[in-house]
Amino acid sequence: MSRLLTQSRFANPDEAFVAIVDAHRDLAPEASAALDARLVLLLANHIGDIAVLKEALAAAREGLADSRAG
Amino acid sequence: MTELYKRAAVFQFEYRRSPDQDAAAPVRRPIVVVGAGPIGLATAIDLAERGNAVVLLDDADRIGEGSRGLCYSKRALEILDRLGAGEQVVEKGVSWKLGKVFFRNDKVYEFDLLPEAGHKMPAFVNLQQFYLEQYLVERALDLDNLEIRWSNRVTGLDNRPDGVGLTIDTPDGPYVLETDWLIAADGARSSLRDMVGAGFIGRTFEDQFLIADINMKADFPPERWFWFEPPFHGGQSALLHRQPDDTWRIDFQIGIEADARKEQEPERVRARLDRMLEGRDYSLVWVSVYKFQCRRMENFRHGRVFFAGDSAHQVSPFGARGANSGLEDAENIAWKLDLVLKGEAPESLLDTYHLERSAAADMNIGHSTRSTDFISPKGPAAIGYRNAVLDLSRRFDFARRMVNSGRLSTPATYETPLSTPDADTFAGAARLGAPLPDAPLRNVDGFDVWLLEALGDDFTLIVFADGAAPAVPDGVTLLDIGAGWSDPKGMLAERLDATPGATYLVRPDQHLAARWRHYDPALVAAALDRAKGIVK
Ligand SMILES: Cc1cc2nc3c(=O)[nH]c(=O)nc-3n(C[C@H](O)[C@H](O)[C@H](O)COP(=O)(O)OP(=O)(O)OC[C@H]3O[C@@H](n4cnc5c(N)ncnc54)[C@H](O)[C@@H]3O)c2cc1C
């Protein structure tokens, strides 16, 4: 049973995407990583549901090479 | 641990030759405890107070100074109180309940560990571990059926199904002692663990911490202060605790690369302290460098040998879970072994020691591992998220609650076959399987006493009177609230969510075993059997 909503939810998806990318403009890679970390923490808390968070983490990790494997 | 500073003896004891060393054949004892650290002492005292003859062996003949345990939890104090040392610890120690966390120059988080009144014991007491050990030794010396043998080092162990044989080295040479049951409380580097062939699995943290005890007259309040990246200790963390005798404990994170010997040189330590203490006068008492482990034995019971305290499990000190959880081990094994020796419980009750205490160890290891990972994050992602939490904590409540400078020791709630599952619903602070929350009571003679003092050494039944007179099983202490006893402030009723007739069965270690809305002797009898491990 999936609780993570993966259907499109924004009225204007392009605007949401651009807002995220724009927020990183002019940031050095380290600051950019810091922004992402803060954003993830803020949004995770907003969701406030550990099951949804774990599902999102699993979905985000899928397909990424796992250096620990093998 | 590397040492530059000499460990002076704080208390010196004497080796005495025991008649057992001259016996023609090895003498057999019912209970031997190995290790006179806080946990071995507590176990031995508890068993002796319950009427058992106990021999306690220790390889040293003194209590040495040094920076070890410091913060004793409310639950540990309650256990010590039952053993007769709690009031001394509180009187000598520094009571505190407020913790403050700073990030760079700002306070980002504050916690109050005991926001309510009506408990005998404070949230935490800071006390040098050697004082705790001294008080426990003094208490042990009061007990005729507890014999401490100093300078007795266990060097061999024969763990047979019918008993345990010990080879013991002394200043007069070795001797052999037999025992029915053995408690191994011989510390983190336990050799008895090796002797039973058991491993010690878990994580070692590479990060090093410089620990300084200093003497200083200062008017800081008795609180726990933790700094992430303070200006006086760039990039790393620091922790300050107040102890009695104008002594203060300071922990400096010094990283993986630091040279432990060099960092302990007085000039280097002083340079760090001067930056922190801004011109205050102080003197160094004791300095050491530690690395930490989080690990436990797979099984705390090996036949007739039970492991307790640091020999069974080790945690990092962030959260003060070492000695505190070891004292919970001590009281868990003591009442169970006592009942088995008295023939009131089946031997299988002893297996629940491992079951309950290994689950508690896992909880403690989990907490102390997460704290250590937060304090010394490894890898760019972990460091990035840790710093993001700290940055956000200046502005947002949710991030403050993620700041982990150590989650301080709380007692274990046992999910155990010894508990009778709730059939009725209860709110309130009390939880099935957890120690009862304390509360002020008035006894039959009209004197004010604390609930935890009033509980019996064996099982206790608390009944909130509804007119009927409960028939109490043999050996069970009755607290009839509202009949003989009273709850003048209503705190007990509130904490237990009691209504007239509500009935609570409490184990000898003060953990709640069963509760009902109405007293029913058959249910009480069944729950009592169950709590003793008797399966019918
Ligand atoms: C820096 C630091 C800070 C800490 N802070 C806290 C804190 O704030 N709160 C807290 O609860 N805990 C704290 N701890 C942990 C605490 O010190 C330990 O958990 C505690 O000492 C464990 O007690 P123990 O009795 O199990 O073992 P130990 O205290 O190690 O005692 C073991 C005893 O066994 C004896 N022994 C060993 N081998 C043999 C043998 N073969 N034969 C006979 N005797 C033997 C030893 O001489 C010793 O007396 C801290 C630890 C450190 C290092």
Side-chain angles (χ1 to χ4, degrees), chain B residues 244-411:
Chain B
D245 305 338
D246 285 319
T247 304
W248 300 76
R249 163 77 54 87
I250 295 150
D251 293 44
F252 289 113
Q253 181 186 23
I254 55 171
I256 299 175
E257 306 295 335
D259 176 341
R261 270 203 95 72
K262 225 164 119 189
E263 290 299 341
Q264 291 178 79
E265 288 168 4
E267 315 76 66
R268 287 186 73 92
V269 180
R270 289 192 150 278
R272 288 188 192 284
L273 288 166
D274 289 345
R275 280 197 293 278
M276 175 176 187
L277 301 169
E278 299 170 335
R280 284 185 186 82
D281 232 14
Y282 65 87
S283 58
L284 293 181
V285 180
W286 172 256
V287 176
S288 47
V289 169
Y290 287 94
K291 277 189 209 172
F292 301 118
Q293 276 103 38
C294 289
R295 50 186 180 168
R296 76 160 167 96
M297 292 175 79
E298 203 173 329
N299 206 321
F300 292 4
R301 178 181 183 182
H302 283 253
R304 291 175 167 268
V305 184
F306 298 87
F307 289 83
D310 276 13
S311 71
H313 46 76
Q314 223 189 332
V315 292
S316 82
F318 305 106
R321 290 166 181 271
N324 287 321
S325 69
L327 290 168
E328 293 178 50
D329 294 347
E331 76 163 356
N332 194 290
I333 189 62
W335 72 267
K336 291 174 181 174
L337 189 52
D338 175 62
L339 284 188
V340 170
L341 282 167
K342 289 185 175 140
E344 289 175 32
E347 211 190 291
S348 59
L349 177 64
L350 301 175
D351 287 328
T352 66
Y353 168 69
H354 166 74
L355 187 94
E356 294 180 349
R357 293 311 304 162
S358 67
D362 287 341
M363 174 192 78
N364 288 316
I365 287 169
H367 276 293
S368 85
T369 302
R370 289 191 292 272
S371 300
T372 311
D373 279 337
F374 193 91
I375 291 164
S376 54
K378 294 287 155 329
I383 294 169
Y385 274 98
R386 199 287 293 268
N387 290 341
V389 165
L390 288 172
D391 280 323
L392 293 174
S393 71
R394 297 185 217 241
R395 286 183 289 156
F396 303 115
D397 169 71
F398 86 87
R400 268 168 231 145
R401 309 251 286 153
M402 283 181 178
V403 172
N404 188 344
S405 74
R407 304 282 183 224
L408 283 132
S409 179
T410 48

Side-chain angles (χ1 to χ4, degrees), chain B residues 72-122:
Chain B
Y72 298 99
S73 68
K74 177 168 178 291
R75 184 61 201 151
L77 296 168
E78 289 166 354
I79 294 167
L80 292 168
D81 201 32
R82 201 170 45 72
L83 301 181
E87 290 181 3
Q88 241 176 328
V89 168
V90 174
E91 194 173 312
K92 175 74 187 172
V94 175
S95 294
W96 65 276
K97 60 179 189 145
L98 269 190
K100 289 184 180 154
V101 181
F102 303 88
F103 176 44
R104 303 202 176 125
N105 287 312
D106 305 323
K107 186 179 87 185
V108 292
Y109 183 54
E110 182 173 312
F111 52 85
D112 184 343
L113 294 164
L114 189 62
E116 61 177 24
H119 296 261
K120 177 174 182 184
M121 287 297 165

Side-chain angles (χ1 to χ4, degrees), chain B residues 75 328 331 412 414 433-436 505-507 509-513:
Chain B
R75 184 61 201 151
E328 293 178 50
E331 76 163 356
Y414 301 138
L436 275 197
L505 180 67
V506 187
R507 307 188 339 182
D509 58 5
Q510 307 185 336
H511 286 246
L512 181 60

Side-chain angles (χ1 to χ4, degrees), chain B residues 145-166:
Chain B
N145 52 349
L146 168 48
E147 184 198 343
I148 309 187
R149 296 185 189 172
W150 303 107
S151 302
N152 272 239
R153 179 199 299 273
V154 174
T155 57
L157 187 153
D158 179 18
N159 192 8
R160 305 180 313 265
D162 64 330
V164 183
L166 293 172

Side-chain angles (χ1 to χ4, degrees), chain B residues 35 38-39 58-59 68-71 129 152 154 186 211 310 322-324:
Chain B
I39 311 316
D58 196 89
D59 59 357
R68 297 188 74 199
L70 157 73
C71 307
Q129 184 166 325
N152 272 239
V154 174
D186 56 336
I211 297 183
D310 276 13
N324 287 321

Side-chain angles (χ1 to χ4, degrees), chain A residues 39-63:
Chain A
L39 186 65
V40 166
L41 291 166
L42 281 160
L43 295 179
N45 180 66
H46 180 83
I47 291 163
D49 182 328
I50 193 71
V52 172
L53 176 62
K54 287 188 173 168
E55 225 182 295
L57 285 168
R61 232 189 120 90
E62 210 173 285

